Amino acid sequence: MNRTNTVVLAAASGFIGTYLRHRFEQDGWTVRTIGRRATAGTAEAANWNDDGAITRVLDGADLLVNLAGRSVNCRYNARNKAAILDSRVSTTTALGRALAVCKAPPSAWLNASTGTIYRHADDRPQTESDGEPGTGFSVVVARAWEAALDSATAPGTRKIALRIAIVLGPGGGALRPFAALARLGLGGHMGAGSQKFSWIHVEDLYRTVRFLHARTDISGPVNVASPDVVDNRELMRLVRRAYGARLGIPTPAWLLRLGAVLIRTETELVLKSRWVQPQKLLDAGFIFREPELGRALLTIAKGTA
């Protein structure tokens, strides 16, 4: 089988998946997909409930990138927790079952994970080698997600867990609520304002995927984050600058928690201190196209990135 320039994107309909699909196609790759809305019987797509179709789509491909996972922008009640966990573990497990019977499996499997696997860190950066796992529901999910990847039987396929920081980019991602607050004059620091903010531009996420596919010497977990980590106070200053907001009223933690209940979400996005250091990428010589948060926010706000 001809495996040249063929990638399988699992969950290609969200903000990140749509961007990656566009960029792969732009760079001349053939893109196959796995998702909930796949048309049955098509050669280039498979549905999650059809193991045979998943195997067929994977067979002969060179690269698998799995982004599947229900949004965490919700309240962490029992029902939502179960859906969040299952959407990550069951899809990763399904891919493992399919890869185990492929005749020509992909040479690399990059499976989404999260930088939230690390503890609340405001004292030092968390690297792949010395990062300390945190506690709480999000960490439980991250560890189960990576355990499903580790336990999958995939002979001949290199496996990498992408510990992705908060993804920023044009038209979507985690930037929208920050930008909305800034426009309303509420873009001051949140909580103490000292919590760290780790992020990655979606273009650098794509470039990381391509880089890791080419670097056959890298496996295991990889932190996918810009080395330019700022605290929340600096983050909101840069957001206000990017969107032309002169004033920004700070929001205390108690008010954030009350607001999160009203809009049915959690405050973890803004109150947890994420200090994710991309040590493996830096050691391997990866060069970020958008290494500085201030510049990245300006280009996103202007619609030029």
Side-chain angles (χ1 to χ4, degrees):
M1 291 185 177
N2 181 11
R3 297 160 42 124
T4 303
N5 291 342
T6 300
V7 59
V8 177
L9 290 180
S13 60
F15 163 61
I16 298 173
T18 299
Y19 188 92
L20 263 59
R21 179 171 188 167
H22 169 73
R23 290 293 285 113
F24 270 113
E25 291 175 341
Q26 192 176 51
D27 285 347
W29 285 61
T30 297
V31 177
R32 302 174 185 173
T33 61
I34 303 170
R36 290 177 296 156
R37 303 184 187 91
T39 303
T42 60
E44 302 300 318
N47 196 290
W48 281 118
N49 61 10
D50 189 339
D51 278 13
I54 294 174
T55 300
R56 184 186 67 247
V57 166
L58 289 172
D59 228 347
D62 185 59
L63 173 62
L64 165 62
V65 182
N66 178 30
L67 303 168
R70 185 190 187 278
S71 172
V72 296
N73 184 21
C74 60
R75 293 298 292 173
Y76 289 168
N77 57 39
R79 180 178 179 180
N80 288 339
K81 281 183 175 181
I84 289 168
L85 180 62
D86 180 70
S87 66
R88 287 157 173 77
V89 173
S90 66
T91 51
T92 302
T93 302
L95 292 172
R97 287 196 305 267
L99 285 170
V101 296
C102 278
K103 295 180 180 178
S107 60
W109 175 7
L110 276 56
N111 206 75
S113 180
T114 173
T116 304
I117 196 170
Y118 300 113
R119 64 172 173 85
H120 179 98
D122 52 13
D123 55 337
R124 67 173 182 86
Q126 305 290 295
T127 72
E128 298 92 342
S129 61
D130 67 2
E132 299 171 287
T135 58
F137 171 66
S138 293
V139 176
V140 170
V141 171
R143 298 184 80 165
W145 205 356
E146 293 192 7
L149 174 66
D150 291 340
S151 63
T153 302
T157 299
R158 180 169 48 98
K159 296 186 288 187
I160 295 176
L162 300 172
R163 292 179 174 172
I164 304 171
I166 294 173
V167 182
L168 306 179
L175 183 58
R176 281 182 171 177
F178 295 116
L181 288 171
R183 292 189 181 102
L184 292 171
L186 300 174
H189 67 268
M190 301 170 181
S194 59
Q195 63 272 31
K196 299 295 185 180
F197 179 78
S198 285
W199 62 282
I200 185 76
H201 191 284
V202 68
E203 174 64 16
D204 276 329
L205 173 55
Y206 169 72
R207 294 177 62 252
T208 295
V209 167
R210 293 289 306 274
F211 181 83
L212 293 173
H213 171 244
R215 287 294 299 262
T216 58
D217 57 319
I218 300 176
S219 60
V222 173
N223 289 346
V224 184
S226 166
D228 182 30
V229 178
V230 302
D231 63 22
N232 179 268
R233 192 179 296 268
E234 177 67 2
L235 162 67
M236 296 313 298
R237 185 189 72 81
L238 294 173
V239 170
R240 293 196 305 271
R241 185 185 71 171
Y243 289 92
R246 299 180 62 184
L247 299 175
I249 300 173
T251 310
W254 68 266
L255 186 56
L256 285 169
R257 294 188 179 98
L258 176 61
V261 172
L262 294 175
I263 64 174
R264 305 185 66 78
T265 188
E266 298 285 339
T267 59
E268 185 178 45
L269 174 65
V270 295
L271 292 183
K272 181 172 181 177
S273 187
R274 296 174 173 86
W275 195 345
V276 182
Q277 176 76 0
Q279 199 61 53
K280 279 190 177 179
L281 289 177
L282 293 174
D283 290 346
F286 181 78
I287 298 174
F288 290 84
R289 183 166 295 175
E290 292 289 350
E292 299 176 3
L293 180 58
R295 188 180 70 175
L297 290 174
L298 285 170
T299 56
I300 292 169
K302 294 176 181 177
T304 57

